[in-house]
Amino acid sequence: MLTDQQIESYHRDGYTVARGLFSAEDVARMKTEIDAVWDRCGRGEKAQNTAFAGVKKMSTIRDPQLHSGVFTRYLTDPKLTGPMSQLLGPDVQLHHSKVNIKTQDDRTIFPLHQDAPYFPHEQNSLCTVLVHLTTTTSERGCFRVIPGVKEMLPHVHDEGHILPPDEYPLERAEELPAAAGDVVFMSSFTPHGSNLNTTDEPRVLWIIQIRSPTDHPIEQPAGTLQPTAPGNRPSQGTMLCGINPDFERAASGESSRL
Ligand SMILES: O=C(O)CCC(=O)C(=O)O
């Protein structure tokens, strides 16, 4: 569970770090599983590969819980759902999850951006949960954040929504080096990104997006760049803990790209 100080820093700074939330055994189980998925996807060949300024920045395996039951099991692990419900309330819903793998071959940065423009919601309950499956130092492209941002900032488009790079160079954000098993909880308004991985070990990060089931997506304006194909959120709406108080919304199996 999170301490009062960690909950306070989440609300004040827009993120908090839970060190050692998962044990070495937990991490080894998830890492073995994702390594096997990585092999099944041709070591990134069939993954979603994204670029910045035309250069590949990352490989993403979407919704790892569709590839292995190990991830379904960890999605509802009380080590995660305890802190999630401390931050969002007793009812926590999955929006989507993905594993980002950044290797030495990915030759550009992940530019700073907020998550909110990708899936704006009425109450902004969206929280990004970063489960570190490898130790990420500065050299291995650790996560970076700008603390204390509480509103949506204007973004530009470059294979996704990014903050204008001249105004928001990566160096503006502070580094969050983490050990395998550390978990970061971050609000969708917190600008974040990451640097290159210059080591020969891939950086592996499981990202889980959650929301309150009473929070509703806001339609993005027509023509907004949406890198993920509509309908590609097959587990969206799954309750990770608590209940969905809206029977009709739950029964409709509502799943949107937002
Ligand atoms: O994995 C990273 O370094 C950044 C990922 C990210 O911000 C995202 O996928 O939205």
Side-chain angles (χ1 to χ4, degrees), residues 28-257:
R29 218 168 147 203
M30 290 187 263
K31 182 67 172 47
T32 302
E33 213 57 25
I34 205 64
D35 286 349
V37 179
W38 184 240
D39 285 343
R40 292 202 289 279
C41 83
R43 304 186 74 72
E45 205 183 307
K46 292 182 235 165
Q48 179 187 21
N49 291 306
T50 55
F52 167 48
V55 179
K56 179 171 174 263
K57 68 178 191 289
M58 190 82 79
S59 296
T60 297
I61 295 168
R62 304 207 68 86
D63 291 300
Q65 72 278 6
L66 299 178
H67 293 277
S68 163
V70 165
F71 290 97
T72 309
R73 176 245 176 275
Y74 278 105
L75 274 174
T76 56
D77 191 307
K79 287 178 197 162
L80 278 181
T81 58
M84 286 171 174
S85 52
Q86 285 177 293
L87 298 174
L88 267 66
D91 305 325
V92 177
Q93 194 176 51
L94 179 67
H95 187 276
H96 69 277
S97 99
K98 62 184 181 183
V99 175
N100 277 354
I101 300 181
K102 189 202 277 265
T103 73
Q104 215 173 22
D105 297 335
D106 300 323
R107 297 308 311 151
T108 192
I109 62 163
F110 205 119
L112 294 179
H113 62 284
Q114 296 172 306
D115 283 342
Y118 284 86
F119 21 80
H121 277 64
E122 283 168 6
Q123 300 162 33
N124 301 307
S125 69
L126 265 284
C127 170
T128 305
V129 181
L130 309 164
V131 181
H132 288 81
L133 298 182
T134 46
T135 291
T136 64
T137 54
S138 182
E139 297 71 35
R140 197 168 286 138
C142 68
F143 221 72
R144 290 180 181 230
V145 294
I146 300 182
V149 178
K150 306 260 191 295
E151 60 184 353
M152 186 106 85
L153 303 170
H155 283 62
V156 295
H157 304 293
D158 182 300
E159 264 214 30
H161 314 290
I162 61 171
L163 288 163
D166 291 349
E167 211 182 324
Y168 289 92
L170 191 60
E171 296 67 39
R172 246 185 101 165
E174 59 190 58
E175 292 193 316
L176 283 186
D182 290 353
V183 178
V184 175
F185 297 86
M186 180 180 79
S187 128
S188 65
F189 285 147
T190 300
H192 60 278
S194 60
N195 209 343
L196 298 179
N197 178 0
T198 57
T199 73
D200 53 15
E201 187 187 332
R203 194 216 67 178
V204 182
L205 189 64
W206 183 23
I207 301 183
I208 307 165
Q209 299 276 359
I210 54 170
R211 70 179 173 200
S212 157
T214 58
D215 199 358
H216 290 240
I218 301 167
E219 261 309 322
Q220 291 175 307
T224 301
L225 183 72
Q226 180 52 256
T228 307
N232 190 16
R233 302 282 196 219
S235 320
Q236 191 172 105
T238 300
M239 295 307 298
L240 303 186
C241 60
I243 59 147
N244 188 339
D246 183 337
F247 180 85
E248 284 175 0
R249 198 172 169 209
S252 74
E254 176 214 11
S255 170
S256 81
R257 67 196 167 102

